[in-house]
PDB file of all heavy atoms in Angstrom:
ATOM      1  N   LEU N 286      75.304 -42.878  -4.955  1.00 96.00           N
ATOM      2  CA  LEU N 286      74.558 -41.797  -5.734  1.00 96.00           C
ATOM      3  C   LEU N 286      73.210 -42.297  -6.082  1.00 96.00           C
ATOM      4  O   LEU N 286      73.119 -43.363  -6.954  1.00 96.00           O
ATOM      5  CB  LEU N 286      75.351 -41.252  -6.783  1.00 96.00           C
ATOM      6  CG  LEU N 286      74.694 -40.215  -7.708  1.00 96.00           C
ATOM      7  CD1 LEU N 286      74.225 -38.970  -6.951  1.00 96.00           C
ATOM      8  CD2 LEU N 286      75.633 -39.836  -8.876  1.00 96.00           C
ATOM      9  N   GLN N 287      72.158 -41.722  -5.734  1.00 95.00           N
ATOM     10  CA  GLN N 287      70.799 -42.042  -6.323  1.00 95.00           C
ATOM     11  C   GLN N 287      70.310 -41.005  -7.244  1.00 95.00           C
ATOM     12  O   GLN N 287      70.223 -39.807  -6.942  1.00 95.00           O
ATOM     13  CB  GLN N 287      69.756 -42.194  -5.193  1.00 95.00           C
ATOM     14  CG  GLN N 287      68.253 -42.352  -5.593  1.00 95.00           C
ATOM     15  CD  GLN N 287      67.416 -42.502  -4.356  1.00 95.00           C
ATOM     16  OE1 GLN N 287      67.508 -43.471  -3.543  1.00 95.00           O
ATOM     17  NE2 GLN N 287      66.480 -41.535  -4.314  1.00 95.00           N
ATOM     18  N   LEU N 288      70.204 -41.285  -8.458  1.00 95.00           N
ATOM     19  CA  LEU N 288      69.752 -40.420  -9.659  1.00 95.00           C
ATOM     20  C   LEU N 288      68.310 -40.813  -9.945  1.00 95.00           C
ATOM     21  O   LEU N 288      67.818 -41.860  -9.766  1.00 95.00           O
ATOM     22  CB  LEU N 288      70.708 -40.476 -10.724  1.00 95.00           C
ATOM     23  CG  LEU N 288      72.156 -39.962 -10.547  1.00 95.00           C
ATOM     24  CD1 LEU N 288      73.036 -40.333 -11.784  1.00 95.00           C
ATOM     25  CD2 LEU N 288      72.107 -38.506 -10.391  1.00 95.00           C
ATOM     26  N   PRO N 289      67.617 -39.807 -10.636  1.00 93.00           N
ATOM     27  CA  PRO N 289      66.318 -40.081 -11.202  1.00 93.00           C
ATOM     28  C   PRO N 289      66.512 -41.327 -12.228  1.00 93.00           C
ATOM     29  O   PRO N 289      67.511 -41.534 -12.686  1.00 93.00           O
ATOM     30  CB  PRO N 289      66.049 -38.793 -11.968  1.00 93.00           C
ATOM     31  CG  PRO N 289      66.722 -37.735 -11.185  1.00 93.00           C
ATOM     32  CD  PRO N 289      68.019 -38.374 -10.835  1.00 93.00           C
ATOM     33  N   ALA N 290      65.261 -41.826 -12.586  1.00 90.00           N
ATOM     34  CA  ALA N 290      65.356 -43.046 -13.542  1.00 90.00           C
ATOM     35  C   ALA N 290      66.042 -42.762 -14.802  1.00 90.00           C
ATOM     36  O   ALA N 290      66.698 -43.622 -15.283  1.00 90.00           O
ATOM     37  CB  ALA N 290      63.948 -43.541 -13.692  1.00 90.00           C
ATOM     38  N   ALA N 291      65.890 -41.525 -15.365  1.00 91.00           N
ATOM     39  CA  ALA N 291      66.622 -41.204 -16.593  1.00 91.00           C
ATOM     40  C   ALA N 291      67.281 -39.780 -16.312  1.00 91.00           C
ATOM     41  O   ALA N 291      66.619 -38.770 -16.199  1.00 91.00           O
ATOM     42  CB  ALA N 291      65.768 -41.089 -17.722  1.00 91.00           C
ATOM     43  N   PHE N 292      68.700 -39.832 -16.247  1.00 93.00           N
ATOM     44  CA  PHE N 292      69.527 -38.569 -15.998  1.00 93.00           C
ATOM     45  C   PHE N 292      70.325 -38.317 -17.184  1.00 93.00           C
ATOM     46  O   PHE N 292      71.406 -38.859 -17.255  1.00 93.00           O
ATOM     47  CB  PHE N 292      70.275 -38.861 -14.758  1.00 93.00           C
ATOM     48  CG  PHE N 292      70.920 -37.541 -14.138  1.00 93.00           C
ATOM     49  CD1 PHE N 292      70.188 -36.681 -13.516  1.00 93.00           C
ATOM     50  CD2 PHE N 292      72.267 -37.303 -14.407  1.00 93.00           C
ATOM     51  CE1 PHE N 292      70.780 -35.459 -12.985  1.00 93.00           C
ATOM     52  CE2 PHE N 292      72.816 -36.192 -13.904  1.00 93.00           C
ATOM     53  CZ  PHE N 292      72.050 -35.328 -13.179  1.00 93.00           C
ATOM     54  N   PRO N 293      69.913 -37.383 -18.007  1.00 94.00           N
ATOM     55  CA  PRO N 293      70.634 -37.124 -19.314  1.00 94.00           C
ATOM     56  C   PRO N 293      71.765 -36.140 -19.097  1.00 94.00           C
ATOM     57  O   PRO N 293      71.572 -35.206 -18.281  1.00 94.00           O
ATOM     58  CB  PRO N 293      69.546 -36.586 -20.184  1.00 94.00           C
ATOM     59  CG  PRO N 293      68.586 -35.925 -19.277  1.00 94.00           C
ATOM     60  CD  PRO N 293      68.539 -36.782 -18.074  1.00 94.00           C
ATOM     61  N   ILE N 294      72.814 -36.353 -19.666  1.00 93.00           N
ATOM     62  CA  ILE N 294      74.059 -35.489 -19.659  1.00 93.00           C
ATOM     63  C   ILE N 294      74.512 -35.196 -21.032  1.00 93.00           C
ATOM     64  O   ILE N 294      74.782 -36.107 -21.810  1.00 93.00           O
ATOM     65  CB  ILE N 294      75.186 -36.051 -18.854  1.00 93.00           C
ATOM     66  CG1 ILE N 294      74.689 -36.584 -17.467  1.00 93.00           C
ATOM     67  CG2 ILE N 294      76.330 -35.172 -18.727  1.00 93.00           C
ATOM     68  CD1 ILE N 294      75.676 -37.529 -16.870  1.00 93.00           C
ATOM     69  N   VAL N 295      74.554 -33.947 -21.429  1.00 93.00           N
ATOM     70  CA  VAL N 295      75.033 -33.549 -22.791  1.00 93.00           C
ATOM     71  C   VAL N 295      76.421 -33.320 -22.791  1.00 93.00           C
ATOM     72  O   VAL N 295      77.283 -33.879 -23.651  1.00 93.00           O
ATOM     73  CB  VAL N 295      74.326 -32.223 -23.106  1.00 93.00           C
ATOM     74  CG1 VAL N 295      74.778 -31.741 -24.534  1.00 93.00           C
ATOM     75  CG2 VAL N 295      72.722 -32.518 -23.290  1.00 93.00           C
ATOM     76  N   GLU N 296      77.053 -32.544 -21.801  1.00 91.00           N
ATOM     77  CA  GLU N 296      78.425 -32.191 -21.800  1.00 91.00           C
ATOM     78  C   GLU N 296      79.187 -33.286 -20.980  1.00 91.00           C
ATOM     79  O   GLU N 296      79.405 -33.015 -19.885  1.00 91.00           O
ATOM     80  CB  GLU N 296      78.678 -30.777 -21.323  1.00 91.00           C
ATOM     81  CG  GLU N 296      77.980 -29.773 -22.248  1.00 91.00           C
ATOM     82  CD  GLU N 296      78.205 -28.352 -21.672  1.00 91.00           C
ATOM     83  OE1 GLU N 296      79.268 -27.752 -21.862  1.00 91.00           O
ATOM     84  OE2 GLU N 296      77.234 -27.750 -21.112  1.00 91.00           O
ATOM     85  N   THR N 297      79.507 -34.340 -21.637  1.00 90.00           N
ATOM     86  CA  THR N 297      80.133 -35.450 -20.895  1.00 90.00           C
ATOM     87  C   THR N 297      81.647 -35.320 -20.848  1.00 90.00           C
ATOM     88  O   THR N 297      82.348 -36.071 -20.217  1.00 90.00           O
ATOM     89  CB  THR N 297      79.880 -36.867 -21.558  1.00 90.00           C
ATOM     90  OG1 THR N 297      80.155 -36.763 -22.923  1.00 90.00           O
ATOM     91  CG2 THR N 297      78.337 -37.112 -21.428  1.00 90.00           C
ATOM     92  N   HIS N 298      82.216 -34.406 -21.692  1.00 89.00           N
ATOM     93  CA  HIS N 298      83.655 -34.111 -21.708  1.00 89.00           C
ATOM     94  C   HIS N 298      84.482 -35.307 -21.931  1.00 89.00           C
ATOM     95  O   HIS N 298      85.359 -35.678 -21.189  1.00 89.00           O
ATOM     96  CB  HIS N 298      84.151 -33.422 -20.372  1.00 89.00           C
ATOM     97  CG  HIS N 298      83.582 -32.092 -20.083  1.00 89.00           C
ATOM     98  ND1 HIS N 298      84.182 -30.836 -20.494  1.00 89.00           N
ATOM     99  CD2 HIS N 298      82.378 -31.738 -19.467  1.00 89.00           C
ATOM    100  CE1 HIS N 298      83.397 -29.881 -20.111  1.00 89.00           C
ATOM    101  NE2 HIS N 298      82.306 -30.390 -19.536  1.00 89.00           N
ATOM    102  N   PRO N 299      84.316 -36.002 -23.058  1.00 85.00           N
ATOM    103  CA  PRO N 299      85.119 -37.129 -23.484  1.00 85.00           C
ATOM    104  C   PRO N 299      86.562 -36.862 -23.733  1.00 85.00           C
ATOM    105  O   PRO N 299      86.883 -35.625 -23.820  1.00 85.00           O
ATOM    106  CB  PRO N 299      84.378 -37.771 -24.662  1.00 85.00           C
ATOM    107  CG  PRO N 299      83.716 -36.614 -25.211  1.00 85.00           C
ATOM    108  CD  PRO N 299      83.345 -35.658 -24.131  1.00 85.00           C
ATOM    109  N   ASP N 300      87.387 -37.819 -24.005  1.00 80.00           N
ATOM    110  CA  ASP N 300      88.760 -37.529 -24.515  1.00 80.00           C
ATOM    111  C   ASP N 300      88.631 -36.733 -25.874  1.00 80.00           C
ATOM    112  O   ASP N 300      87.977 -37.166 -26.752  1.00 80.00           O
ATOM    113  CB  ASP N 300      89.480 -38.931 -24.732  1.00 80.00           C
ATOM    114  CG  ASP N 300      90.791 -38.712 -25.237  1.00 80.00           C
ATOM    115  OD1 ASP N 300      91.282 -37.594 -25.449  1.00 80.00           O
ATOM    116  OD2 ASP N 300      91.499 -39.825 -25.444  1.00 80.00           O
ATOM    117  N   PRO N 301      89.324 -35.571 -25.912  1.00 73.00           N
ATOM    118  CA  PRO N 301      89.268 -34.779 -27.051  1.00 73.00           C
ATOM    119  C   PRO N 301      89.544 -35.538 -28.361  1.00 73.00           C
ATOM    120  O   PRO N 301      88.879 -35.236 -29.361  1.00 73.00           O
ATOM    121  CB  PRO N 301      90.428 -33.673 -26.922  1.00 73.00           C
ATOM    122  CG  PRO N 301      90.658 -33.642 -25.370  1.00 73.00           C
ATOM    123  CD  PRO N 301      90.308 -35.112 -24.879  1.00 73.00           C
ATOM    124  N   GLU N 302      90.462 -36.528 -28.365  1.00 70.00           N
ATOM    125  CA  GLU N 302      90.644 -37.261 -29.522  1.00 70.00           C
ATOM    126  C   GLU N 302      89.397 -38.036 -30.049  1.00 70.00           C
ATOM    127  O   GLU N 302      89.174 -38.186 -31.281  1.00 70.00           O
ATOM    128  CB  GLU N 302      91.792 -38.283 -29.464  1.00 70.00           C
ATOM    129  CG  GLU N 302      93.210 -37.571 -29.417  1.00 70.00           C
ATOM    130  CD  GLU N 302      94.338 -38.629 -29.547  1.00 70.00           C
ATOM    131  OE1 GLU N 302      94.069 -39.780 -29.879  1.00 70.00           O
ATOM    132  OE2 GLU N 302      95.498 -38.272 -29.505  1.00 70.00           O
ATOM    133  N   SER N 303      88.666 -38.534 -29.142  1.00 71.00           N
ATOM    134  CA  SER N 303      87.474 -39.211 -29.514  1.00 71.00           C
ATOM    135  C   SER N 303      86.309 -38.345 -30.079  1.00 71.00           C
ATOM    136  O   SER N 303      85.334 -38.881 -30.556  1.00 71.00           O
ATOM    137  CB  SER N 303      86.939 -40.039 -28.302  1.00 71.00           C
ATOM    138  OG  SER N 303      86.411 -39.095 -27.297  1.00 71.00           O
ATOM    139  N   THR N 304      86.418 -36.954 -29.906  1.00 70.00           N
ATOM    140  CA  THR N 304      85.400 -36.119 -30.455  1.00 70.00           C
ATOM    141  C   THR N 304      85.676 -35.653 -31.931  1.00 70.00           C
ATOM    142  O   THR N 304      84.847 -35.049 -32.441  1.00 70.00           O
ATOM    143  CB  THR N 304      85.307 -34.867 -29.524  1.00 70.00           C
ATOM    144  OG1 THR N 304      86.541 -34.168 -29.595  1.00 70.00           O
ATOM    145  CG2 THR N 304      85.031 -35.293 -28.128  1.00 70.00           C
ATOM    146  N   GLN N 305      86.795 -36.018 -32.420  1.00 78.00           N
ATOM    147  CA  GLN N 305      87.064 -35.663 -33.778  1.00 78.00           C
ATOM    148  C   GLN N 305      86.355 -36.399 -34.845  1.00 78.00           C
ATOM    149  O   GLN N 305      86.399 -37.603 -34.761  1.00 78.00           O
ATOM    150  CB  GLN N 305      88.605 -35.822 -34.075  1.00 78.00           C
ATOM    151  CG  GLN N 305      89.555 -34.816 -33.107  1.00 78.00           C
ATOM    152  CD  GLN N 305      90.979 -35.222 -33.265  1.00 78.00           C
ATOM    153  OE1 GLN N 305      91.345 -35.972 -34.088  1.00 78.00           O
ATOM    154  NE2 GLN N 305      91.781 -34.516 -32.394  1.00 78.00           N
ATOM    155  N   ASP N 306      85.613 -35.688 -35.701  1.00 86.00           N
ATOM    156  CA  ASP N 306      84.843 -36.324 -36.634  1.00 86.00           C
ATOM    157  C   ASP N 306      85.198 -35.601 -37.973  1.00 86.00           C
ATOM    158  O   ASP N 306      84.645 -34.627 -38.395  1.00 86.00           O
ATOM    159  CB  ASP N 306      83.377 -36.114 -36.352  1.00 86.00           C
ATOM    160  CG  ASP N 306      82.420 -36.833 -37.274  1.00 86.00           C
ATOM    161  OD1 ASP N 306      82.946 -37.535 -38.214  1.00 86.00           O
ATOM    162  OD2 ASP N 306      81.153 -36.722 -37.181  1.00 86.00           O
ATOM    163  N   LEU N 307      86.159 -36.302 -38.764  1.00 90.00           N
ATOM    164  CA  LEU N 307      86.649 -35.610 -39.943  1.00 90.00           C
ATOM    165  C   LEU N 307      85.823 -35.891 -41.235  1.00 90.00           C
ATOM    166  O   LEU N 307      86.068 -35.172 -42.293  1.00 90.00           O
ATOM    167  CB  LEU N 307      88.131 -36.049 -40.150  1.00 90.00           C
ATOM    168  CG  LEU N 307      89.131 -35.669 -38.984  1.00 90.00           C
ATOM    169  CD1 LEU N 307      90.488 -36.164 -39.285  1.00 90.00           C
ATOM    170  CD2 LEU N 307      89.052 -34.205 -38.791  1.00 90.00           C
ATOM    171  N   ARG N 308      85.062 -36.940 -41.277  1.00 91.00           N
ATOM    172  CA  ARG N 308      84.230 -37.328 -42.379  1.00 91.00           C
ATOM    173  C   ARG N 308      84.957 -37.474 -43.602  1.00 91.00           C
ATOM    174  O   ARG N 308      84.520 -37.040 -44.749  1.00 91.00           O
ATOM    175  CB  ARG N 308      83.123 -36.222 -42.550  1.00 91.00           C
ATOM    176  CG  ARG N 308      82.182 -36.032 -41.336  1.00 91.00           C
ATOM    177  CD  ARG N 308      81.082 -37.054 -41.225  1.00 91.00           C
ATOM    178  NE  ARG N 308      80.444 -36.841 -39.979  1.00 91.00           N
ATOM    179  CZ  ARG N 308      79.369 -36.115 -39.779  1.00 91.00           C
ATOM    180  NH1 ARG N 308      78.843 -35.413 -40.790  1.00 91.00           N
ATOM    181  NH2 ARG N 308      78.793 -36.117 -38.639  1.00 91.00           N
ATOM    182  N   LEU N 309      86.106 -38.198 -43.508  1.00 91.00           N
ATOM    183  CA  LEU N 309      86.918 -38.323 -44.734  1.00 91.00           C
ATOM    184  C   LEU N 309      86.324 -39.408 -45.715  1.00 91.00           C
ATOM    185  O   LEU N 309      86.576 -39.242 -46.928  1.00 91.00           O
ATOM    186  CB  LEU N 309      88.363 -38.720 -44.269  1.00 91.00           C
ATOM    187  CG  LEU N 309      89.078 -37.806 -43.384  1.00 91.00           C
ATOM    188  CD1 LEU N 309      90.478 -38.443 -42.955  1.00 91.00           C
ATOM    189  CD2 LEU N 309      89.318 -36.440 -44.058  1.00 91.00           C
ATOM    190  N   LEU N 310      85.582 -40.308 -45.167  1.00 90.00           N
ATOM    191  CA  LEU N 310      84.987 -41.335 -46.129  1.00 90.00           C
ATOM    192  C   LEU N 310      83.768 -40.875 -46.670  1.00 90.00           C
ATOM    193  O   LEU N 310      83.359 -41.424 -47.779  1.00 90.00           O
ATOM    194  CB  LEU N 310      84.793 -42.642 -45.289  1.00 90.00           C
ATOM    195  CG  LEU N 310      86.017 -43.320 -44.793  1.00 90.00           C
ATOM    196  CD1 LEU N 310      85.637 -44.674 -44.131  1.00 90.00           C
ATOM    197  CD2 LEU N 310      86.992 -43.551 -45.897  1.00 90.00           C
ATOM    198  N   ASN N 311      83.062 -39.747 -46.157  1.00 89.00           N
ATOM    199  CA  ASN N 311      81.840 -39.315 -46.869  1.00 89.00           C
ATOM    200  C   ASN N 311      81.950 -37.742 -46.767  1.00 89.00           C
ATOM    201  O   ASN N 311      81.138 -37.119 -45.956  1.00 89.00           O
ATOM    202  CB  ASN N 311      80.584 -39.792 -46.098  1.00 89.00           C
ATOM    203  CG  ASN N 311      80.601 -39.753 -44.512  1.00 89.00           C
ATOM    204  OD1 ASN N 311      81.641 -39.450 -43.959  1.00 89.00           O
ATOM    205  ND2 ASN N 311      79.439 -39.872 -44.060  1.00 89.00           N
ATOM    206  N   PRO N 312      82.892 -37.041 -47.329  1.00 92.00           N
ATOM    207  CA  PRO N 312      82.986 -35.661 -47.291  1.00 92.00           C
ATOM    208  C   PRO N 312      81.773 -34.940 -48.032  1.00 92.00           C
ATOM    209  O   PRO N 312      81.188 -35.422 -48.960  1.00 92.00           O
ATOM    210  CB  PRO N 312      84.232 -35.384 -48.024  1.00 92.00           C
ATOM    211  CG  PRO N 312      84.431 -36.470 -48.955  1.00 92.00           C
ATOM    212  CD  PRO N 312      83.863 -37.716 -48.309  1.00 92.00           C
ATOM    213  N   TRP N 313      81.353 -33.854 -47.356  1.00 92.00           N
ATOM    214  CA  TRP N 313      80.277 -33.047 -48.072  1.00 92.00           C
ATOM    215  C   TRP N 313      81.104 -32.180 -49.129  1.00 92.00           C
ATOM    216  O   TRP N 313      82.298 -32.187 -49.306  1.00 92.00           O
ATOM    217  CB  TRP N 313      79.831 -32.088 -46.990  1.00 92.00           C
ATOM    218  CG  TRP N 313      80.655 -31.167 -46.310  1.00 92.00           C
ATOM    219  CD1 TRP N 313      81.002 -29.853 -46.551  1.00 92.00           C
ATOM    220  CD2 TRP N 313      81.476 -31.437 -45.136  1.00 92.00           C
ATOM    221  NE1 TRP N 313      81.823 -29.317 -45.663  1.00 92.00           N
ATOM    222  CE2 TRP N 313      82.189 -30.336 -44.813  1.00 92.00           C
ATOM    223  CE3 TRP N 313      81.765 -32.640 -44.351  1.00 92.00           C
ATOM    224  CZ2 TRP N 313      83.103 -30.228 -43.716  1.00 92.00           C
ATOM    225  CZ3 TRP N 313      82.563 -32.702 -43.305  1.00 92.00           C
ATOM    226  CH2 TRP N 313      83.253 -31.376 -43.004  1.00 92.00           C
ATOM    227  N   PRO N 314      80.238 -31.590 -50.153  1.00 93.00           N
ATOM    228  CA  PRO N 314      80.846 -31.063 -51.350  1.00 93.00           C
ATOM    229  C   PRO N 314      82.047 -30.140 -51.146  1.00 93.00           C
ATOM    230  O   PRO N 314      83.026 -30.168 -51.813  1.00 93.00           O
ATOM    231  CB  PRO N 314      79.643 -30.349 -52.025  1.00 93.00           C
ATOM    232  CG  PRO N 314      78.458 -31.157 -51.555  1.00 93.00           C
ATOM    233  CD  PRO N 314      78.797 -31.546 -50.023  1.00 93.00           C
ATOM    234  N   GLU N 315      81.889 -29.181 -50.101  1.00 94.00           N
ATOM    235  CA  GLU N 315      82.997 -28.198 -49.891  1.00 94.00           C
ATOM    236  C   GLU N 315      84.233 -28.886 -49.489  1.00 94.00           C
ATOM    237  O   GLU N 315      85.332 -28.392 -49.904  1.00 94.00           O
ATOM    238  CB  GLU N 315      82.402 -27.197 -48.835  1.00 94.00           C
ATOM    239  CG  GLU N 315      81.354 -26.257 -49.229  1.00 94.00           C
ATOM    240  CD  GLU N 315      79.920 -26.940 -49.031  1.00 94.00           C
ATOM    241  OE1 GLU N 315      79.867 -28.078 -48.574  1.00 94.00           O
ATOM    242  OE2 GLU N 315      78.913 -26.184 -49.286  1.00 94.00           O
ATOM    243  N   LEU N 316      84.137 -29.974 -48.613  1.00 93.00           N
ATOM    244  CA  LEU N 316      85.391 -30.561 -48.152  1.00 93.00           C
ATOM    245  C   LEU N 316      85.943 -31.388 -49.325  1.00 93.00           C
ATOM    246  O   LEU N 316      87.201 -31.465 -49.497  1.00 93.00           O
ATOM    247  CB  LEU N 316      85.108 -31.540 -46.992  1.00 93.00           C
ATOM    248  CG  LEU N 316      86.230 -32.261 -46.407  1.00 93.00           C
ATOM    249  CD1 LEU N 316      87.306 -31.298 -45.896  1.00 93.00           C
ATOM    250  CD2 LEU N 316      85.780 -33.189 -45.264  1.00 93.00           C
ATOM    251  N   ALA N 317      85.097 -32.013 -50.046  1.00 91.00           N
ATOM    252  CA  ALA N 317      85.572 -32.798 -51.286  1.00 91.00           C
ATOM    253  C   ALA N 317      86.243 -31.982 -52.187  1.00 91.00           C
ATOM    254  O   ALA N 317      87.343 -32.251 -52.839  1.00 91.00           O
ATOM    255  CB  ALA N 317      84.333 -33.583 -51.946  1.00 91.00           C
ATOM    256  N   ALA N 318      85.743 -30.687 -52.434  1.00 92.00           N
ATOM    257  CA  ALA N 318      86.387 -29.790 -53.332  1.00 92.00           C
ATOM    258  C   ALA N 318      87.675 -29.261 -52.836  1.00 92.00           C
ATOM    259  O   ALA N 318      88.631 -29.099 -53.736  1.00 92.00           O
ATOM    260  CB  ALA N 318      85.440 -28.510 -53.609  1.00 92.00           C
ATOM    261  N   ALA N 319      87.796 -29.072 -51.488  1.00 90.00           N
ATOM    262  CA  ALA N 319      89.138 -28.775 -50.988  1.00 90.00           C
ATOM    263  C   ALA N 319      90.196 -29.779 -51.077  1.00 90.00           C
ATOM    264  O   ALA N 319      91.338 -29.555 -51.391  1.00 90.00           O
ATOM    265  CB  ALA N 319      89.029 -28.422 -49.471  1.00 90.00           C
ATOM    266  N   GLY N 320      89.778 -31.085 -51.043  1.00 87.00           N
ATOM    267  CA  GLY N 320      90.671 -32.236 -51.233  1.00 87.00           C
ATOM    268  C   GLY N 320      91.011 -32.271 -52.721  1.00 87.00           C
ATOM    269  O   GLY N 320      92.232 -32.541 -53.095  1.00 87.00           O
ATOM    270  N   ALA N 321      90.116 -32.034 -53.654  1.00 87.00           N
ATOM    271  CA  ALA N 321      90.414 -32.017 -55.055  1.00 87.00           C
ATOM    272  C   ALA N 321      91.399 -30.920 -55.464  1.00 87.00           C
ATOM    273  O   ALA N 321      91.958 -31.005 -56.509  1.00 87.00           O
ATOM    274  CB  ALA N 321      89.161 -31.951 -55.909  1.00 87.00           C
ATOM    275  N   GLY N 322      91.461 -29.868 -54.700  1.00 82.00           N
ATOM    276  CA  GLY N 322      92.154 -28.705 -55.027  1.00 82.00           C
ATOM    277  C   GLY N 322      93.664 -28.856 -54.861  1.00 82.00           C
ATOM    278  O   GLY N 322      94.362 -28.006 -55.333  1.00 82.00           O
TER     279      GLY N 322
END
């Protein structure tokens, strides 16, 4: 396969587990409030 010098792909379809971003170590205010509840 010969591709252009830079061939960008947005929808790479990775393993679903690797796409999870829960932000537990730096929760935003609404998430922190839910945990405090």
Side-chain angles (χ1 to χ4, degrees):
L286 175 61
Q287 174 179 296
L288 291 172
F292 189 79
I294 308 162
V295 175
E296 298 179 78
T297 54
H298 295 270
D300 179 359
E302 283 196 7
S303 68
T304 63
Q305 295 172 8
D306 186 2
L307 300 179
R308 301 282 171 89
L309 299 179
L310 296 184
N311 53 344
W313 58 98
E315 292 83 357
L316 182 60

